[in-house]
Amino acid sequence: MPNQAPAETREDPAPPNETAGPAIRLSGLRKHFGDVHAVDGVDLDIPPGEFFSMLGPSGSGKTTVLRMIAGFELPTEGTIELDGRDVSALAPFERDVNTVFQDYALFPHMTVQQNVEYGLRVKRVPKQQRRERAIEALKTVRLDDYGSRKPSQLSGGQRQRVALARALVNRPKVLLLDEPLGALDLKLRQAMQLELKQIQRDVGITFVFVTHDQDEALTMSDRIAVFNDGKIEQVGPPEEVYERPASAFVAGFVGTSNLLGGRGAESVIGRPGLFSIRPEKIRIDGELSEPAAVGDTSATGTITDVVYAGATVRYAVALDAGGQLSVVRQNTDGALADGRVRLSWRQEHSFQVPGQ
Ligand code: ADP
Ligand code: MG
């Protein structure tokens, strides 16, 4: 469900209709290229109006899933339903979806307005209507004053927004975005993440957003599917995927994670298993300090590495009980010196990785 997060972070003007069927349903989806099992059994429902992200390392099958939804690839096995209708065998233009790619090729000789109108011209939409819809789409992406410019007169972020307008002008039910911010530098990328999320709220259509960047997925999504090797390891809202990873892979891929197992886990946490503890949940103090509260988990160790990152400082600590933990601390009092320390964290922040 897209609206499980605290109410104050969700302001969708039109909350997805709980009784409506999914906008997208993937069932038993597979795609094999010879011996390569690019997509290896994906089942997924995406409700209307959701900002859904597919997150995973390069080669995990995200683009192939997107291309099958768009109709550029046919599944080896399984079905794709859009709005309750099986479209698995339909051509791309027969599907109510549009795609925005990373290498958004705008026509350089056309103005922004003409670029946005282009798809409608191909569909023989009358001129006046074409104009109005393009202006509306440019308003949505906040480029209403740029219609007469050429792409070369725009910044990278503005060009990306033209590409978005070009897709939105078709008023698709579903918009597929394949690493659309990948070509932008970090600052612009972060600004565009917020903009894109706002635009999605404004238009209320279903976004399926592919990225290999975990921060991006955590920032923007209602829900995230974490891909590994052609399969989905976990689907859930950002907090859930981050705080309660369903596998060691998810714990490692989403955020910097500490995994504590073996002797260290038994001794520090008090039971066997593999535990994920986020670096920002751990307090780090001098060796002789008391744990912050009764019942907190606590362990002593030695700092082996200090990474100064401006607002925060990251420590690597070798535990006396065995194992190594990474700790992030706000840079309020400057960095701690190398040496002996006590780590402590609340019991509920040791999350046992299922099945381990
Ligand atoms: P991602 O988008 O997550 O990086 P892809 O879906 O592009 O992953 O690729 C998944 C796997 O399928 C990779 O191993 C890739 O090399 C392979 N693959 C993708 N497209 C083709 C193709 N047309 N022919 C052969 N192999 C492909
Ligand atoms: Mg890809």
Side-chain angles (χ1 to χ4, degrees):
M1 291 299 137
N3 44 9
Q4 283 179 340
E8 64 269 21
T9 66
R10 292 285 174 270
E11 304 167 350
D12 311 58
N17 185 346
E18 300 290 335
T19 58
I24 303 173
R25 168 166 286 172
L26 310 179
S27 313
L29 201 60
R30 287 174 200 279
K31 180 70 186 183
H32 298 170
F33 298 103
D35 289 345
V36 179
H37 293 193
V39 177
D40 208 13
V42 164
D43 295 282
L44 190 62
D45 278 4
I46 303 176
E50 190 164 62
F51 196 118
F52 189 87
S53 291
M54 297 184 180
L55 171 68
S58 174
S60 58
K62 309 176 300 288
T63 292
T64 306
V65 170
L66 215 64
R67 289 174 57 80
M68 287 194 281
I69 298 172
F72 302 129
E73 296 284 358
L74 291 178
T76 309
E77 244 180 73
T79 58
I80 296 155
E81 287 170 45
L82 296 176
D83 234 355
R85 174 166 164 250
D86 188 340
V87 300
S88 312
L90 296 185
F93 66 87
E94 295 174 295
R95 305 180 185 200
D96 204 357
V97 301
N98 263 109
T99 311
V100 179
F101 299 100
Q102 178 180 326
D103 49 351
Y104 43 92
L106 302 176
F107 298 114
H109 58 287
M110 290 186 192
T111 65
V112 165
Q113 171 86 19
Q114 287 164 340
N115 263 286
V116 177
E117 277 185 34
Y118 180 78
L120 300 176
R121 217 169 84 200
V122 172
K123 287 190 196 157
R124 302 190 192 288
V125 173
K127 191 170 176 186
Q128 182 58 25
Q129 205 182 331
R130 229 158 63 200
R131 263 185 58 87
E132 284 167 11
R133 278 173 62 176
I135 289 170
E136 184 195 311
L138 283 171
K139 248 190 207 134
T140 307
V141 300
R142 289 172 262 286
L143 284 179
D144 14 349
D145 293 334
Y146 291 76
S148 56
R149 291 212 193 174
K150 293 279 177 60
S152 60
Q153 298 169 304
L154 301 177
S155 71
Q158 289 168 335
R159 282 204 285 270
Q160 183 52 268
R161 283 188 285 168
V162 176
L164 192 61
R166 211 168 49 169
L168 290 173
V169 79
N170 297 310
R171 297 178 180 155
K173 284 231 176 71
V174 170
L175 194 64
L176 308 174
L177 304 106
D178 195 352
E179 313 240 5
L181 310 181
L184 307 178
D185 65 52
L186 182 65
K187 266 233 159 77
L188 189 52
R189 191 182 171 105
Q190 287 170 339
M192 278 298 291
Q193 287 169 2
L194 299 177
E195 283 226 23
L196 199 56
K197 175 73 196 162
Q198 190 56 50
I199 290 167
Q200 190 265 344
R201 284 199 187 125
D202 293 347
V203 296
I205 63 180
T206 312
F207 273 34
V208 183
F209 185 89
V210 162
T211 180
H212 65 272
D213 179 333
Q214 38 118 358
D215 289 329
E216 190 160 282
L218 291 171
T219 312
M220 300 177 76
S221 319
D222 294 315
R223 284 192 311 155
I224 299 171
V226 183
F227 276 71
N228 180 25
D229 223 1
K231 296 192 188 70
I232 294 178
E233 296 246 344
Q234 183 171 9
V235 185
E239 314 86 287
E240 193 175 300
V241 170
Y242 185 78
E243 304 278 350
R244 296 185 291 283
S247 66
F249 175 82
V250 175
F253 191 74
V254 183
T256 307
S257 168
N258 286 304
L259 288 175
L260 191 61
R263 194 165 59 85
E266 284 213 55
S267 148
V268 173
I269 293 166
R271 57 201 159 96
L274 186 65
F275 297 85
S276 148
I277 309 136
R278 295 297 182 185
E280 71 278 11
K281 307 286 193 196
I282 303 175
R283 286 170 44 107
I284 181 166
D285 296 294
E287 182 183 17
L288 301 176
S289 65
E290 300 284 320
V294 179
D296 277 2
T297 304
S298 167
T300 50
T302 305
I303 294 177
T304 57
D305 195 26
V306 180
V307 178
Y308 179 80
T312 58
V313 183
R314 182 179 289 273
Y315 301 91
V317 177
L319 301 184
D320 298 336
Q324 167 140 331
L325 291 178
S326 171
V327 181
V328 171
R329 194 164 90 137
Q330 291 290 320
N331 189 10
T332 37
D333 310 314
L336 293 172
D338 287 10
R340 299 282 303 156
V341 288
R342 174 176 296 279
L343 306 184
S344 61
W345 61 93
R346 303 221 304 262
Q347 275 182 29
E348 68 264 30
H349 289 145
S350 305
F351 178 74
Q352 185 162 14
V353 178
Q356 304 271 335

